[in-house]
């Protein structure tokens, strides 16, 4: 169940609306929080990610430098195999680490746990997009030193990271040695008791293919043994000092070093600018990759660190202009937590073009860097409204995987396409079919996100060129997977599937799956007919690519029209599946608090036999397809399923918050939101050390915009029914709709809708149309609390 973990004291981690910062160093707490800090202070741009290991490289829990989509194949080992089981998976690789600069003063290594710290500050700056540290200490001989560092992963130059390092001798002469490294180490052993963690490799993974070294620059290159990807990584330095320096550089297959030696007089300073570049390719030769690394380093050195830092700030300014969410509240932590979530969403997506978004972004190897439904359901709405080009790019990635999905469908004996439950390269990497392959709903999730993107952005060209083909193949899958059941009165049934709730697997007529499949088939049929009517050239191309039969859209419509949806007349709720209500309810009272998440303490069969829910399933359906449920149905379904939900998935509480808000359970909605927004910053799941929960962060945005602001966007109509928590006085955010930018500002009494850019558009405030235009760019409407709103009326 929901429970906060270790929350650092405010005097050590003060609330700051624009940063996460540590303002003092506590050795004991630092050891306990090492893994969490590596995630908290991680940097990424969606292509290149670096965990927040300290500059000295020690202490360390899980060091990591990752490239989106850079993976090696690993064999999937089964005790017993069966037809159609994937035989190989993909796992993101830990690349050579260039963040470490080791320091020795008077022949003694500097490490934080052993040093006598005088002052300390480490700050992840959301406005600057940088990680900086300022530490002063005194040696046993009474010599005071100060070290200031800054680290960034560039949003402008996706292959570039940069570090500044400034060491000052404050009161005495000191002999200094600084060793800058680019090191290829094997990842640490994995705790295999947690199935969510990435598995390790046995033996060498990156095979050397050559090095280059000249002056203060070194470049290493490698090839993976099975996936055949070629990696190049390099470092270069610009050094100035107030004393003569002896310089020694060395480079071999797995380690490049630049060692600087000098004696600093009191007040003397050594300044280092370190540039890191990473490239990889599935087709380029190693020497070509090394050249690309060199060109990136050339450009960085020529630009200089000041220019790179300034450009990073401008990129952050543009992000906050289009994506910031502001909350006025008595709790200063709320705004900090919201911006932490938004900043991580940017870091996971900004330069991810050509790739998906992994479940933990590029902040850790958990789930092996795989892409799930997380992107389409939890992250894409945020991007559709704040960064439409990236939303388009992510959907294009799914299109690029379509041939693999067709192959998988054929392997499973089905028509159309079966998208993988977890993947990097488009091939299924889930070894546990009951909670992997059986989650066919991912097909409909992709179709759902595609429709939302097209309706909100107006990008019909994408639908014509790519989206329609996805829709045809996913609709074919549903039509083939399901059947018209005589026992169910000729209704269309889908058997042997798993819905979002992974504690209930391989069921018949999972209500969420059937509802989403119905929408998938309806939209596919609608799109095919629209192309035939309005875009004949695109329609002809679609027929050539898919072999579309003229009768297929009618078959999809028929299946959608006759879709079976479980319903219990006695309870007047939608059963999660055909037999869910027949199961014994889980013994929550007899379950120890330390046995959550249940998946780590109980065999799947124990879970499958009980009414117990890992994450929102029917509640998720009521959010995504809100218009298809009456208010009374939402209230009854929520009252039944909410007490059965453990929230063992980080994806759960945000959706519960949205639906609780809609049905008038304001206190419960606020309670769930507080857990959602603090999922990582308070380490609620106890596994933040392994990486940030990117989808949960997208869910936080959903809970703000769809929950408290009450936005719904069905059929190109965008409606707001806002109701703020009592603890807040104001909520505001920016949205991009069909190329136009609007600002929504809410208080308890009124809502102000403003057109910031564009020719104008119409929104709805409750059922009242709001027309924004150049002549009237801002309109204010009164907010009326829904009749019967009762904070105490909770299940």
């Amino acid at each position: 169940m929901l429970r906060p973990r270790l929350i650092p004291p405010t005097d050590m981690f003060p609330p700051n609306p624009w940063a996460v910062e540590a303002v003092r160093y506590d050795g004991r707490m630092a050891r306990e929080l090492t893994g969490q800090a590596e995630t908290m202070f991680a940097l990424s741009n969606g292509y290149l990610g670096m965990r927040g290991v300290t500059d000295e490289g020690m202490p360390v829990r899980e060091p990591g430098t990752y490239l989106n989509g850079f993976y090696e194949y690993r064999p999937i080992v089964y005790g017993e195999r069966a037809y159609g089981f994937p035989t190989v998976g993909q796992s993101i690789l830990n690349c050579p680490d260039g963040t470490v600069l080791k320091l020795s003063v008077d022949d003694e290594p500097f490490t934080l746990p052993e040093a006598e710290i005088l002052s300390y500050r480490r700050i992840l700056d959301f406005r600057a997009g940088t990680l900086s540290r300022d530490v002063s200490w005194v040696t046993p001989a009474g010599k005071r030193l100060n070290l200031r560092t800054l680290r960034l992963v560039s949003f402008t130059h996706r292959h570039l990271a940069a570090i500044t390092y400034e060491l000052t001798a404050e009161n005495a002469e000191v002999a200094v040695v600084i060793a800058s490294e680019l090191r290829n180490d094997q990842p640490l052993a994995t705790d295999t008791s947690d199935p969510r963690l990435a598995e390790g490799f046995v033996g060498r993974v990156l095979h050397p293919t050559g090095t280059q070294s000249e002056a203060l620059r070194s470049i290493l290159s490698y090839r993976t043994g099975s996936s055949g990807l070629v990696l190049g990584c390099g470092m270069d330095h610009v050094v100035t000092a107030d004393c003569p320096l002896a310089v020694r550089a060395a480079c071999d297959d797995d380690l490049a070093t630049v060692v600087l030696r000098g004696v600093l007089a009191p007040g003397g300073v050594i300044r280092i600018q370190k540039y890191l570049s990473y490239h990889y390719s599935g087709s380029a030769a190693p020497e070509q990759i090394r050249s690309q690394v060199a060109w990136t380093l050339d450009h960085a050195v020529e630009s200089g660190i000041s220019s790179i830092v300034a450009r990073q700030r401008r990129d952050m300014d543009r992000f906050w202009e289009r994506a910031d969410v502001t909350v006025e509240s008595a709790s200063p932590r709320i705004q900090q937590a919201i911006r932490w979530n938004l900043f991580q969403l940017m870091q996971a997506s900004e330069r991810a073009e050509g790739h998906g978004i992994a479940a933990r972004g590029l902040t850790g190897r958990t789930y092996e860097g795989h892409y799930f439904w997380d992107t389409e359901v939890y992250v894409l709405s945020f991007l559709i409204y704040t960064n439409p080009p990236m939303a388009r790019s992510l959907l294009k990635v799914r299109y690029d995987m379509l041939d693999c999905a067709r192959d998988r469908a054929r392997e499973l004996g089905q028509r159309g396409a079966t998208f993988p439950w977890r993947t990097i390269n488009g091939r299924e990497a889930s070894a546990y079919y009951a909670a992997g392959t059986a989650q066919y709903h991912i097909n409909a999730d992709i179709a759902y996100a595609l429709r939302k993107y097209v309706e909100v952005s107006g990008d019909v060209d994408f639908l014509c060129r790519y989206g329609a083909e996805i829709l045809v193949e996913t609709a074919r899958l549903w039509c083939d997977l399901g059947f018209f059941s005589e026992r169910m009165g000729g209704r269309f049934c889908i058997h042997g599937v798993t819905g979002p709730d992974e504690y209930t697997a391989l069921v018949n007529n999972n209500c969420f799956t059937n509802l989403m499949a119905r929408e998938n088939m309806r939209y596919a049929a609608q799109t095919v007919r629209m192309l035939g009517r309005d875009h004949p050239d695109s329609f002809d191309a679609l027929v050539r690519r898919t072999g579309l039969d003229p009768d297929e859209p009618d078959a999809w419509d028929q299946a959608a029209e006759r879709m079976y949806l479980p319903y219990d007349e006695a309870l007047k709720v939608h059963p999660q599946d055909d037999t869910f209500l027949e199961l014994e309810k889980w013994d929550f009272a007899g379950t120890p608090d330390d046995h959550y998440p249940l998946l780590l303490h109980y065999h799947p069969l124990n879970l499958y036999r009980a009414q117990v829910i890992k994450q929102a399933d029917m509640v998720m359906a009521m959010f995504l397809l809100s218009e298809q449920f009456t208010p009374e149905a939402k209230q009854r379904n929520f009252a039944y399923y909410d007490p059965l939900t453990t929230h063992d998935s980080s994806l759960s509480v945000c959706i519960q918050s949205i639906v609780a808000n809609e049905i008038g359970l304001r206190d419960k909605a606020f309670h769930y939101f507080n857990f959602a927004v603090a999922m990582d910053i308070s380490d609620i799941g106890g596994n933040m050390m392994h990486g940030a929960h990117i989808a949960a962060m997208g869910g936080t945005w959903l809970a703000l915009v769809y929950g408290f602001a009450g936005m719904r966007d069905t059929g190109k109509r965008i409606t707001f029914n806002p109701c703020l928590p009592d603890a807040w006085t104001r909520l505001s955010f920016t949205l991009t709709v069909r190329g136009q930018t609007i600002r929504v500002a809410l208080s308890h009494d009124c809502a102000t809708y403003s057109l910031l850019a564009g020719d104008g558009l119409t929104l709805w405030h409750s059922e009242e149309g709001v027309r924004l235009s150049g002549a009237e760019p801002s309109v204010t409407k009164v907010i009326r609390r829904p009749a019967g709103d009762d904070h105490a009326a909770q299940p």
Side-chain angles (χ1 to χ4, degrees):
M1 289 295 191
L2 300 173
R3 55 217 173 275
R5 299 281 174 158
L6 177 62
I7 302 176
T10 300
D11 66 332
M12 184 175 178
F13 290 84
N16 182 334
W18 284 106
V20 169
E21 57 182 329
V23 295
R24 65 179 177 84
Y25 187 80
D26 181 312
R28 179 193 61 81
M29 183 162 288
R31 286 190 295 273
E32 293 179 8
L33 295 176
T34 295
Q36 289 92 325
E38 290 167 3
T39 296
M40 183 72 72
F41 294 115
L43 295 174
S44 170
N45 61 14
Y47 174 81
L48 167 62
M50 296 175 165
R51 281 176 62 81
V53 177
T54 58
D55 300 281
E56 298 75 42
M58 292 293 289
V60 62
R61 177 67 180 263
E62 291 183 23
T65 298
Y66 313 109
L67 297 176
N68 196 349
F70 183 68
Y71 67 92
E72 177 61 305
Y73 289 116
R74 58 167 179 79
I76 299 178
V77 179
Y78 300 92
E80 296 182 19
R81 291 201 56 210
Y83 174 81
F85 281 21
T87 57
V88 293
Q90 314 108 44
S91 188
I92 195 170
L93 293 178
N94 205 345
C95 298
D97 181 11
T99 62
V100 174
L101 291 103
K102 296 178 179 177
L103 171 64
S104 179
V105 177
D106 291 339
D107 295 328
E108 297 294 335
F110 168 70
T111 58
L112 286 169
E114 283 74 37
E116 183 180 344
I117 305 296
L118 302 176
S119 65
Y120 178 90
R121 187 175 188 233
R122 195 181 193 200
I123 178 169
L124 180 66
D125 190 324
F126 304 153
R127 284 181 290 197
T130 58
L131 173 65
S132 59
R133 189 181 64 161
D134 188 329
V135 56
S136 294
W137 74 100
V138 60
T139 70
K143 299 180 180 181
R144 294 195 307 272
L145 297 99
N146 175 261
L147 177 61
R148 295 182 179 180
T149 64
L150 180 143
R151 185 187 302 176
L152 67 84
V153 174
S154 174
F155 294 115
T156 299
H157 308 289
R158 70 196 298 238
H159 301 278
L160 177 68
I163 299 170
T164 65
Y165 190 92
E166 182 178 294
L167 178 68
T168 303
E170 294 190 336
N171 70 334
E173 181 179 276
V174 290
V176 173
V177 179
I178 302 171
S180 176
E181 295 183 348
L182 178 61
R183 176 184 292 272
N184 177 37
D185 286 326
Q186 293 297 309
L188 300 177
T190 300
D191 175 10
T192 55
S193 66
D194 189 337
R196 298 166 295 186
L197 302 185
E199 295 188 19
F201 290 90
V202 176
R204 177 176 278 276
V205 177
L206 297 177
H207 301 272
T209 58
T211 64
Q212 292 176 211
S213 183
E214 181 181 1
L216 301 182
R217 174 181 295 186
S218 294
I219 299 174
L220 314 177
S221 64
Y222 303 88
R223 188 188 302 275
T224 60
S226 299
S227 62
L229 299 177
V230 176
L231 168 70
C233 52
M235 65 177 183
D236 204 351
H237 305 77
V238 176
V239 180
T240 60
D242 295 336
C243 67
L245 292 176
V247 179
R248 179 176 59 83
C251 181
D252 62 27
D253 287 341
D254 291 316
L255 176 64
T257 58
V258 172
V259 180
L260 309 173
R261 297 177 180 270
V263 178
L264 278 176
V269 182
I270 297 176
R271 297 181 180 88
I272 303 171
Q273 298 171 19
K274 182 175 183 178
Y275 301 103
L276 297 164
S277 174
Y278 293 81
H279 287 257
Y280 77 89
S281 171
S283 57
E287 54 270 21
Q288 182 179 348
I289 290 293
R290 292 196 297 271
S291 294
Q292 291 174 347
V293 171
W295 297 334
T296 298
L297 293 174
D298 288 341
H299 181 77
V301 171
E302 291 165 3
S303 298
I305 194 65
S306 296
S307 173
I308 293 169
V309 170
R311 183 60 184 267
Q312 188 85 342
R313 180 63 178 251
R314 291 195 295 271
D315 288 338
M316 291 307 311
D317 287 344
R318 282 191 289 271
F319 170 75
W320 293 117
E321 285 174 5
R322 68 178 190 258
D324 193 17
V325 178
T326 61
V327 166
E328 292 180 7
S329 165
S331 171
R333 287 284 188 196
I334 290 293
Q335 186 65 75
Q336 180 185 40
I338 289 171
R339 288 206 176 104
W340 150 255
N341 282 269
L342 296 174
F343 182 69
Q344 292 302 327
L345 286 169
M346 182 195 189
Q347 289 205 130
S349 65
E350 189 72 3
R351 297 308 308 273
E353 55 263 27
H355 304 284
I357 295 177
R360 298 298 181 98
L362 296 174
T363 64
R365 291 187 65 240
T366 295
Y367 294 117
E368 301 183 270
H370 292 161
Y371 318 140
F372 292 77
W373 73 315
D374 300 29
T375 300
E376 283 76 22
V377 173
Y378 290 87
V379 179
L380 259 176
S381 285
F382 167 75
L383 293 172
I384 286 168
Y385 282 106
T386 63
N387 190 356
M390 182 48 60
R392 184 187 191 278
S393 174
L394 290 165
L395 288 168
K396 176 60 165 52
V397 168
R398 287 298 192 184
Y399 175 80
D400 293 340
M401 295 178 178
L402 187 55
D403 282 343
C404 292
R406 288 181 174 119
D407 291 344
R408 180 62 170 159
R410 284 191 291 270
E411 184 179 30
L412 296 173
Q414 295 159 350
R415 297 188 67 227
T418 303
F419 279 97
W421 181 241
R422 53 189 294 179
T423 191
I424 294 177
N425 67 356
R427 301 292 178 182
E428 180 63 78
S430 175
Y432 187 50
Y433 73 92
T437 298
Q439 296 210 52
Y440 289 96
H441 67 84
I442 190 170
N443 267 25
D445 304 332
I446 293 168
Y448 178 91
L450 169 61
R451 181 173 194 166
K452 176 165 288 190
Y453 168 72
V454 172
E455 290 181 349
V456 175
S457 70
D459 188 358
V460 177
D461 176 69
F462 183 86
L463 183 63
C464 293
R465 296 176 62 186
Y466 308 114
E469 195 172 344
I470 292 175
L471 293 172
V472 167
E473 299 294 11
T474 51
R476 279 176 171 165
L477 179 281
W478 294 120
C479 209
D480 185 60
L481 186 65
F483 69 105
F484 294 98
S485 170
E486 293 183 8
R487 289 178 59 83
M488 294 295 186
R491 309 297 286 181
F492 190 79
C493 297
I494 304 174
H495 288 180
V497 302
T498 300
D501 170 28
E502 294 174 0
Y503 285 173
T504 310
L506 295 176
V507 298
N508 296 342
N509 295 311
N510 171 256
C511 197
F512 175 92
T513 301
N514 286 16
L515 282 163
M516 293 292 285
R518 182 171 70 175
E519 292 308 297
N520 190 164
M521 289 188 286
R522 283 176 173 171
Y523 186 45
Q526 172 189 327
T527 298
V528 167
R529 295 189 183 106
M530 182 274 294
L531 291 186
R533 182 183 67 248
D534 301 335
H535 303 274
D537 290 344
S538 296
F539 177 79
D540 291 343
L542 177 66
V543 171
R544 288 194 302 271
R545 292 195 301 266
T546 64
L548 180 68
D549 186 282
D551 295 333
E552 285 189 87
D554 290 339
W556 304 334
D557 273 339
Q558 183 183 26
E561 181 65 27
R562 297 169 64 183
M563 181 68 72
Y564 174 72
L565 301 176
Y567 187 75
D568 185 84
E569 289 289 350
L571 295 175
K572 296 194 181 303
V573 300
H574 290 84
Q576 188 168 289
D577 57 71
D578 281 354
T579 61
F580 186 81
L581 299 184
E582 299 172 12
L583 304 177
E584 181 182 13
K585 290 186 177 181
W586 184 265
D587 180 14
F588 290 100
T591 303
D593 287 345
D594 62 0
H595 277 41
Y596 295 94
L598 301 181
L599 63 93
L600 299 184
H601 301 276
Y602 299 93
H603 192 281
L605 288 174
N606 296 109
L607 303 174
Y608 297 164
R609 295 188 186 109
Q611 288 190 46
V612 60
I613 299 171
K614 180 183 179 185
Q615 64 195 69
D617 194 303
M618 273 306 305
V619 177
M620 170 68 81
M622 295 192 299
F623 164 54
L624 295 182
L625 302 174
S626 178
E627 73 284 357
Q628 300 185 25
F629 294 86
T630 66
E632 295 76 20
K634 291 175 183 176
Q635 290 169 355
R636 289 192 298 267
N637 284 324
F638 189 91
Y640 189 87
Y641 289 108
D642 186 56
L644 301 176
T645 306
T646 64
H647 308 293
D648 283 349
S649 167
S650 65
L651 306 179
S652 186
V653 285
C654 53
I655 304 303
Q656 303 290 112
S657 176
I658 294 169
V659 176
N661 242 321
E662 185 177 4
I663 62 177
L665 302 178
R666 310 298 179 191
D667 289 347
K668 183 175 282 286
F670 190 54
H671 170 76
Y672 278 143
F673 172 79
N674 286 332
F675 275 100
V677 76
M679 186 62 63
D680 280 339
I681 211 165
S682 294
D683 196 17
I684 288 173
N687 60 357
M688 184 250 199
M689 70 179 71
H690 302 305
H693 296 80
I694 301 302
M697 293 166 175
T700 297
W701 186 88
L702 296 175
L704 288 162
V705 175
Y706 287 86
F708 299 118
M711 186 177 82
R712 294 296 182 270
D713 45 6
T714 302
K716 301 182 182 179
R717 172 169 165 161
I718 299 177
T719 303
F720 295 91
N721 285 288
C723 189
L724 298 192
D726 291 340
W728 298 358
T729 57
R730 186 176 174 83
L731 166 66
S732 62
F733 52 88
T734 302
L735 303 174
T736 299
V737 181
R738 291 183 284 281
Q740 304 184 79
T741 306
I742 62 170
R743 186 76 175 167
V744 179
L746 308 172
S747 67
H748 287 287
D749 301 319
C750 64
T752 299
Y753 306 97
S754 302
L755 180 68
L756 304 183
D759 299 327
L761 76 166
T762 298
L763 308 170
W764 275 261
H765 175 81
S766 296
E767 294 302 315
E768 184 179 359
V770 177
R771 177 64 187 174
L772 302 178
S773 65
E776 191 175 8
S778 184
V779 176
T780 298
K781 294 292 181 181
V782 174
I783 294 176
R784 294 181 177 85
R785 276 189 179 270
D789 178 24
D790 183 0
H791 291 249
Q794 301 183 17

